[in-house]
Amino acid sequence: MRERRDDLEALIKRQLEQLASQHRTPLTLAKTALEQLCHYRWPGNIPELYKQLENMVLHRHSNHIGLRELPAEIIQPQQSPQTEGEALIQPLELIEKQAIQHAWTLCEGKATETAKALGIGRTTLWRKLKKYRLIEGDESLPGQ
């Protein structure tokens, strides 16, 4: 699948359409969730992708599949081991985005819990969720 990254978005959308038909329910996929799925470095093949999508559908909280339905390894993939003497330095914004995504998922999208876990205010959390496009453009901050 690594060679077919351009086809990934179409594969994901087609499979979700099939799952929606199979489960007889309309399903939508958040843009942020689609971006995460497309940027994930899939170690396996297409059936593995389909299995993950089916698990997401089976464990969804609503008919809208967002970041909280994605498995943790897709939202915050493990770093590959470093070679001896090689320092891994990441931009602070990337680390912040990953921390927010991880907390948002663990707190199941509950804004107050997420903000408290991160040690920031709800308004700051909302601004950062919008900045990193972790919520849709005109969404208000969900969850108390």
Side-chain angles (χ1 to χ4, degrees):
M1 260 191 340
R2 291 182 190 118
E3 298 83 34
R4 298 181 62 186
R5 290 189 95 49
D6 295 339
D7 299 332
L8 206 50
E9 185 173 334
L11 284 170
I12 291 167
K13 287 179 178 180
R14 189 181 78 230
Q15 183 64 16
L16 280 177
E17 287 172 6
Q18 289 177 354
L19 288 167
S21 175
Q22 179 183 346
H23 292 277
R24 296 187 181 113
T25 186
L27 295 172
T28 58
L29 182 65
K31 183 180 177 183
T32 53
L34 179 60
E35 288 172 359
Q36 282 294 126
L37 288 166
C38 288
H39 285 90
Y40 180 68
R41 295 184 55 84
W42 292 94
N45 52 21
I46 292 172
E48 182 180 339
L49 167 66
Y50 289 174
K51 181 181 142 212
Q52 287 288 352
L53 291 172
E54 185 165 20
N55 283 336
M56 289 169 27
V57 169
L58 292 174
H59 296 102
R60 72 188 188 282
H61 298 284
S62 69
N63 290 345
H64 182 72
I65 297 172
L67 286 176
R68 70 181 181 176
E69 282 77 27
L70 271 61
E73 68 266 12
I74 292 175
I75 293 175
Q76 191 165 6
Q78 297 296 316
Q79 299 293 330
S80 58
Q82 300 174 31
T83 59
E84 189 173 329
E86 181 182 308
L88 178 63
I89 299 175
Q90 295 179 330
L92 187 56
E93 282 194 345
L94 176 62
I95 295 168
E96 181 179 62
K97 180 181 178 181
Q98 290 174 343
I100 292 169
Q101 284 176 318
H102 185 67
W104 187 253
T105 301
L106 290 177
C107 295
E108 299 178 339
K110 295 176 182 153
T112 302
E113 286 180 31
T114 303
K116 187 175 180 179
L118 292 169
I120 60 176
R122 288 185 78 235
T123 304
T124 301
L125 173 64
W126 181 80
R127 279 195 317 269
K128 290 181 184 292
L129 288 168
K130 289 190 65 100
K131 174 183 177 180
Y132 296 124
R133 298 180 181 173
L134 301 175
I135 58 173
E136 299 299 319
D138 53 353
E139 276 186 45
S140 61
L141 191 57
Q144 289 293 329

